[in-house]
Amino acid sequence: GGEKAGLLSVCLEQVREEQAECVKSAVQFGATMACDGAKNSGMGCSITHVLSTHKGKVFVALTDAGRSELTAEFLAEDATSAVRKVGDHNVFLIVMDGPEPAVQALKLLQGVFPRMLMMRSAVWGWDLVLQDVARRFRRDVFAPVNRILLHVTNHSYICAVFEGLEGTNKLLEPLDTRFPVEVMCVRAFFADKNNIIQLWGHPDIHKWLEDRSPVRGIVRARQTKLGLEHIHKPDWWRLVEACVSLINTAVPIVGEPDLDAPNLYKLPLMYDQACAALQQPLSHNGQEVD
């Protein structure tokens, strides 16, 4: 008992005090319970509950859903447990993210907590907006960029040569998740355009590909195909630039946290703004991209 408390104990106690202060502030100002899920490859899904208060955010609970089906009933019961953990008198809004079951779960929660407000996360709506904005580029930009990124990141030697180039950024590996992650990959990819082109003509890569083993032959064939169809084609880079320009115009608009007066009415203007940024109409193979 007389021993000096360790640094970890001191930090934990400080965190507990800060959390208690945040929850206490909810009595006066109210708080929002945010629920979100995350997929874990091969391990199922986990659901996180965070209380957002006037004085900061507080972690409430993490539910390991495993491979359970995330039904509306499951989500509603899980959120109910989290709300009651901090006291339902402290919560005035429940925000839930996710696919269709989340919508039904919010309806069930409204029955349990009739005085609370229920809202679907605006991020989910922004995800759909970005998908709509970029739909014309799905096949000709997002798909090939995905293949190029996987080709580079899946081969340690090619990836090492790329990362050794001056001024390069670390390529983002595409993941099977929300569409904005793909958007981030394309934007980062285009930012490294010059080094990507340089990588395809790098003497060390050509020497490495000269190996006559069957596996290396497959890599060599894929490298050549990607180079001929995309990397060495100025028209394709022009399309990537058009896509990134359009996305860069869309992201600040759909990202503005103005829920009372949504800014989505600005979206029809994005095409003209993107054209102005590029100084010419967006086109691919001689045809305007709408």
Side-chain angles (χ1 to χ4, degrees), residues 66 76 102 136 178 192-193 197 204 223 263 269:
R136 296 288 184 177
R178 278 214 188 98
D192 271 328
K193 171 186 172 182
I197 294 174
D204 289 349
Q223 175 104 355
N263 294 290
L269 301 176

Side-chain angles (χ1 to χ4, degrees), residues 18-94:
E18 290 176 353
Q19 288 181 335
E21 191 67 24
C22 286
V23 174
K24 184 179 178 181
S25 72
V27 176
Q28 180 178 359
F29 298 101
T32 298
M33 180 67 75
C35 313
D36 195 13
K39 293 180 180 178
N40 301 313
S41 180
M43 298 173 62
C45 179
S46 60
I47 304 172
T48 305
H49 302 272
V50 174
L51 189 71
S52 180
T53 75
H54 177 68
K55 291 196 173 184
K57 296 178 176 62
V58 178
F59 170 79
V60 177
L62 176 66
T63 301
D64 181 6
R67 297 185 180 277
S68 303
E69 184 180 358
L70 299 183
T71 62
E73 290 75 16
F74 182 93
L75 294 173
E77 288 177 10
D78 196 45
T80 298
S81 175
V83 169
R84 286 180 171 154
K85 186 174 180 180
V86 299
D88 56 10
H89 58 284
N90 292 322
V91 180
F92 77 96
L93 173 66
I94 298 177

Side-chain angles (χ1 to χ4, degrees), residues 22 70 81 87 104 110 139 159 167 173 191 227 229 241 263 265:
C22 286
L70 299 183
S81 175
Q104 300 304 319
Q110 189 70 80
R139 183 191 64 188
C159 193
E173 189 171 349
E229 294 182 353
E241 181 182 7
N263 294 290
Y265 68 90

Side-chain angles (χ1 to χ4, degrees), residues 236-271:
W236 183 72
W237 283 107
R238 175 78 181 91
L239 187 63
V240 176
E241 181 182 7
C243 178
V244 171
S245 179
L246 194 62
I247 287 169
N248 285 344
T249 310
V251 169
I253 295 174
V254 301
E256 291 176 8
D258 189 356
L259 298 179
D260 293 327
N263 294 290
L264 300 186
Y265 68 90
K266 299 179 182 178
L267 294 179
L269 301 176
M270 287 194 302
Y271 174 73

Side-chain angles (χ1 to χ4, degrees), residues 140-190:
D140 296 323
V141 173
F142 285 90
V145 165
N146 188 291
R147 290 195 295 271
I148 293 168
L149 289 174
L150 290 176
H151 176 75
V152 174
T153 58
N154 283 347
H155 298 92
S156 57
Y157 186 81
I158 297 177
C159 193
V161 171
F162 174 78
E163 292 180 351
L165 298 176
E166 185 177 355
T168 193
N169 297 304
K170 187 174 179 62
L171 289 178
L172 298 175
E173 189 171 349
L175 300 172
D176 182 19
T177 181
R178 278 214 188 98
F179 185 67
V181 175
E182 294 185 55
V183 169
M184 292 169 61
C185 289
V186 172
R187 292 170 73 182
F189 173 84
F190 183 68

